[in-house]
Amino acid sequence: MNLEQFSQYACERVNRYLDQSLSTYTPAKALHEAMRYSLFNGGKRVRPMLTYAVAELFSAANELTDASAAAVESIHAYSLIHDDLPAMDDDNLRRGKPTCHIQYDEATAILAGDALQTFAFELLSQPKFNQASVQLSLIQTLQSASGRHGMVTGQMIDLSNVNKAMSLQDLELMHRHKTGAIIKAAVKMGAQSVGVDDEEVYRSLDAYASAIGLAFQVQDDIIDITSDTQTLGKTQFSDEDANKPTYPKLLGLDGAKVLAKQLHDEAVAQVTPFGAKSVPLVELANYIIARNH
Amino acid sequence: MNLEQFSQYACERVNRYLDQSLSTYTPAKALHEAMRYSLFNGGKRVRPMLTYAVAELFSAANELTDASAAAVESIHAYSLIHDDLPAMDDDNLRRGKPTCHIQYDEATAILAGDALQTFAFELLSQPKFNQASVQLSLIQTLQSASGRHGMVTGQMIDLSNVNKAMSLQDLELMHRHKTGAIIKAAVKMGAQSVGVDDEEVYRSLDAYASAIGLAFQVQDDIIDITSDTQTLGKTQFSDEDANKPTYPKLLGLDGAKVLAKQLHDEAVAQVTPFGAKSVPLVELANYIIARNH
């Protein structure tokens, strides 16, 4: 399977699982609609791809892999809704479509984000799996990446550094929390979902995830200044305009490209020892530094 | 122990546990401060009291009871932060103090709420407990009360009915989701935390929780029009001003008082069969319909 095929496979699989899992009745129709609007907005599903690709290093992905991929994507979707709010990044456009608070309203967007966070823990705690210890490990991994130890702290560091000079070290600290933690969780949960219990494997996977997570962010900063608004599906120079610290600002455009390539190579070195099944993970690393949107 | 003593015991115990559990370092100082500000704002800790009182019907409260009480209170605290936001209820005052977004700013308040929700699942998933199946049950209970099946749906119903006529049935549906679900969870988790495994017991506890949850809300509506701003610690007539449906509007003040009393009696009837240990639960029910703030 090449990356395009793998991407299609992972997208279809996680979308089907999300769709089925969300279909239960709720008496607040607009809440459900806003949750769906943000979950199914044409996202690339990079995190679910990672979860499936890692699981399949070891065995066939199972329903706990589906729940893990879906839970990670729900956390990601909630974070985008809240990040886009007027009090945060104040973005009107996301993947070429109105952001949740523009399509609905601010209150609905706040609540849809809140409910999507809970939904992630709903997915992982479903009684039908009857695998309490694996499920609890998955929940530990996800919560630790999502809240004060991970993503929310990253967003807080980000917001408090707008218009401030930021060192390379601080920028990395911010990204490792804001986006890196969830990418690491997506990778780890892939292995946890199929019962991997080998510390050395987890160390390699963690190093892979850590490197591609940062590479993803460096590339994001690069394409913010090299791609136009139409290609991006969001406003070009949005980071530049918000006066946010970026890798190209600190390292120059070429320096940022060199860093992205180094991180890519580190990532690839961690997973090639897993053999032929590592191809999607290698191709994902290639994609991350080659993409222009 | 009378109710005042029991309240002091539960408050001290859950506060100590929250304080210890939050003390881990995070690189985002303001996030931590805002989380603490909202968690320790002089709340009455009614939900933790319920968790402890229910656990102690069966045996001594244990550390899982602490984690349960603390997790429920974290969900409650997060919901208050988000409810108070300008896009939601737009409240500046909570328990006589500036609300989180006034004390800090809107972005910090949104993120502190987000992180407090995650924190609840962090508390319940701690590896040190090593009781995966009980922990997973606690997480199931809490998530189901917090998100699209519970509290968030209630808040959404509430927001979409401002300035609208609402039937008694719809008002009850709203409250059962918005506040009732978490009160039920607080009660159920008390029993789960000490390993209760008796469906009939859970049915009685659920009926108790359901009745006091609704009584709490009816009483809230009553005191909104009978107590002044200073006693309330929030603006008097705030529901009245927002043109929200309330029990006194639908039933008249006397009708609302009769309903609160009926619900109280139903609640008490469910727990008196547990004997002398039910005293705190009975006194809590008494307090709920006697309080004026």
Side-chain angles (χ1 to χ4, degrees):
Chain A
M1 238 192 262
N2 64 26
L3 189 65
E4 202 181 325
Q5 290 165 325
F6 189 81
S7 160
Q8 204 183 336
Y9 155 74
C11 275
E12 281 176 11
R13 194 163 165 164
V14 75
N15 286 351
R16 193 167 49 240
Y17 196 77
L18 282 167
D19 183 46
Q20 287 167 353
S21 307
L22 252 184
S23 67
T24 320
Y25 166 79
T26 161
K29 200 161 153 274
L31 176 71
H32 230 193
E33 279 176 16
M35 290 171 77
R36 282 187 172 272
Y37 179 79
S38 299
L39 265 178
F40 300 103
N41 73 341
K44 294 183 288 283
R45 308 297 195 208
V46 170
R47 293 155 197 79
M49 283 168 73
L50 286 167
T51 305
Y52 286 116
V54 168
E56 290 171 4
L57 286 178
F58 308 102
S59 66
N62 58 33
E63 198 183 332
L64 267 178
T65 319
D66 293 323
S68 299
V72 167
E73 199 63 10
S74 296
I75 293 286
H76 180 56
Y78 119 65
S79 78
L80 297 183
I81 298 175
H82 284 190
D83 281 9
D84 287 337
L85 287 169
M88 308 269 272
D89 293 351
D90 195 15
D91 276 320
N92 294 337
L93 208 56
R94 161 82 57 189
R95 293 172 188 145
K97 285 162 58 181
T99 47
C100 190
H101 66 276
I102 299 292
Q103 183 71 17
Y104 298 90
D105 57 35
E106 267 188 71
T108 306
I110 294 167
L111 292 173
D114 290 345
L116 280 169
Q117 177 172 189
T118 321
F119 182 53
F121 296 104
E122 175 184 344
L123 288 166
L124 296 175
S125 66
Q126 293 174 90
K128 67 173 174 188
F129 289 122
N130 206 14
Q131 291 191 62
S133 66
V134 176
Q135 290 177 262
L136 197 67
S137 302
L138 290 166
I139 291 167
Q140 282 159 6
T141 303
L142 190 61
Q143 70 74 16
S144 142
S146 307
R148 68 199 182 102
H149 302 297
M151 188 181 75
V152 174
T153 282
Q155 178 67 0
M156 192 75 203
I157 299 176
D158 192 8
L159 285 171
S160 47
N161 281 287
V162 174
N163 293 321
K164 283 189 192 160
M166 207 170 175
S167 69
L168 204 57
Q169 201 178 8
D170 287 348
L171 187 61
E172 184 175 324
L173 183 79
M174 187 264 280
H175 286 312
R176 288 207 183 278
H177 283 84
K178 189 179 173 187
T179 54
I182 294 291
I183 287 175
K184 278 192 184 189
V187 165
K188 185 173 182 180
M189 290 165 75
Q192 288 178 312
S193 72
V194 294
V196 172
D197 185 23
D198 177 335
E199 276 188 37
E200 208 176 316
V201 165
Y202 281 109
R203 264 196 299 277
S204 297
L205 292 174
D206 193 63
Y208 168 83
S210 182
I212 60 155
L214 203 53
F216 192 89
Q217 207 49 57
V218 175
Q219 186 66 17
D220 241 24
D221 286 354
I222 293 170
I223 62 185
D224 186 62
I225 55 171
T226 58
S227 282
D228 59 26
T229 300
Q230 204 181 351
T231 309
L232 279 174
K234 62 177 184 179
T235 316
Q236 190 192 11
F237 298 125
S238 59
D239 295 341
E240 198 76 9
D241 290 348
N243 216 350
K244 288 192 171 184
T246 69
Y247 283 96
K249 276 187 204 162
L250 285 167
L251 300 174
L253 184 56
D254 288 341
K257 286 178 177 173
V258 169
L259 177 60
K261 181 67 173 60
Q262 275 173 355
L263 290 165
H264 163 273
D265 295 348
E266 276 174 43
V268 169
Q270 293 292 338
V271 291
T272 41
F274 288 103
K277 294 210 164 166
S278 69
V279 169
L281 292 171
V282 172
E283 291 196 359
L284 252 166
N286 299 344
Y287 159 76
I288 281 169
I289 63 158
R291 75 206 163 92
N292 64 356
H293 66 281
Chain B
M1 239 192 260
N2 64 25
L3 189 66
E4 200 181 325
Q5 290 164 326
F6 188 81
S7 161
Q8 203 183 337
Y9 155 74
C11 276
E12 280 176 11
R13 194 162 165 167
V14 76
N15 286 350
R16 190 165 54 239
Y17 196 77
L18 283 166
D19 183 46
Q20 287 167 353
S21 307
L22 253 185
S23 66
T24 321
Y25 166 77
T26 162
K29 200 161 153 274
L31 176 71
H32 230 191
E33 279 177 18
M35 289 172 77
R36 280 186 173 274
Y37 178 80
S38 298
L39 266 178
F40 299 104
N41 72 344
K44 293 183 288 283
R45 307 296 195 210
V46 170
R47 293 155 196 78
M49 282 168 72
L50 286 167
T51 305
Y52 287 116
V54 168
E56 290 173 2
L57 286 179
F58 309 100
S59 64
N62 58 34
E63 197 182 335
L64 268 178
T65 318
D66 293 323
S68 299
V72 166
E73 199 64 9
S74 295
I75 293 286
H76 179 57
Y78 120 65
S79 77
L80 296 183
I81 297 176
H82 284 190
D83 282 7
D84 286 337
L85 287 168
M88 308 270 272
D89 293 351
D90 194 15
D91 275 321
N92 295 336
L93 208 55
R94 163 80 60 187
R95 291 170 190 147
K97 284 161 60 182
T99 47
C100 190
H101 65 277
I102 298 291
Q103 182 72 16
Y104 298 90
D105 56 36
E106 265 188 74
T108 306
I110 293 167
L111 292 172
D114 290 345
L116 280 170
Q117 177 172 187
T118 321
F119 182 54
F121 295 104
E122 174 184 346
L123 288 166
L124 296 176
S125 66
Q126 293 174 90
K128 69 172 174 188
F129 289 122
N130 205 13
Q131 290 192 61
S133 66
V134 176
Q135 289 177 262
L136 198 67
S137 303
L138 290 166
I139 291 167
Q140 283 159 6
T141 303
L142 190 60
Q143 71 74 17
S144 141
S146 306
R148 66 197 182 104
H149 302 297
M151 187 181 75
V152 175
T153 283
Q155 178 68 1
M156 191 75 201
I157 299 175
D158 192 9
L159 286 171
S160 47
N161 281 286
V162 173
N163 293 321
K164 282 188 193 160
M166 208 170 174
S167 69
L168 205 57
Q169 203 177 6
D170 288 348
L171 187 62
E172 185 174 323
L173 183 79
M174 187 266 279
H175 287 312
R176 287 206 182 279
H177 283 85
K178 188 177 174 187
T179 52
I182 294 291
I183 287 175
K184 277 191 183 189
V187 164
K188 186 173 181 181
M189 291 166 76
Q192 288 178 311
S193 72
V194 294
V196 171
D197 185 22
D198 178 333
E199 276 188 35
E200 207 176 318
V201 165
Y202 281 108
R203 265 197 297 279
S204 296
L205 291 174
D206 194 64
Y208 168 83
S210 183
I212 59 156
L214 204 53
F216 192 89
Q217 208 49 58
V218 175
Q219 186 65 17
D220 242 25
D221 287 353
I222 292 170
I223 61 185
D224 186 66
I225 54 171
T226 58
S227 281
D228 60 28
T229 299
Q230 202 182 353
T231 309
L232 280 174
K234 62 178 185 181
T235 316
Q236 190 192 10
F237 298 125
S238 57
D239 296 339
E240 197 77 6
D241 290 348
N243 216 351
K244 288 192 171 182
T246 68
Y247 283 96
K249 276 187 206 164
L250 286 165
L251 300 174
L253 184 57
D254 288 341
K257 286 179 177 173
V258 168
L259 177 59
K261 181 66 171 58
Q262 274 173 356
L263 290 164
H264 163 274
D265 295 349
E266 275 173 45
V268 168
Q270 294 293 338
V271 291
T272 41
F274 290 102
K277 293 207 164 166
S278 70
V279 170
L281 292 171
V282 172
E283 290 195 2
L284 252 166
N286 298 344
Y287 158 76
I288 281 170
I289 62 157
R291 76 206 163 92
N292 63 357
H293 65 283

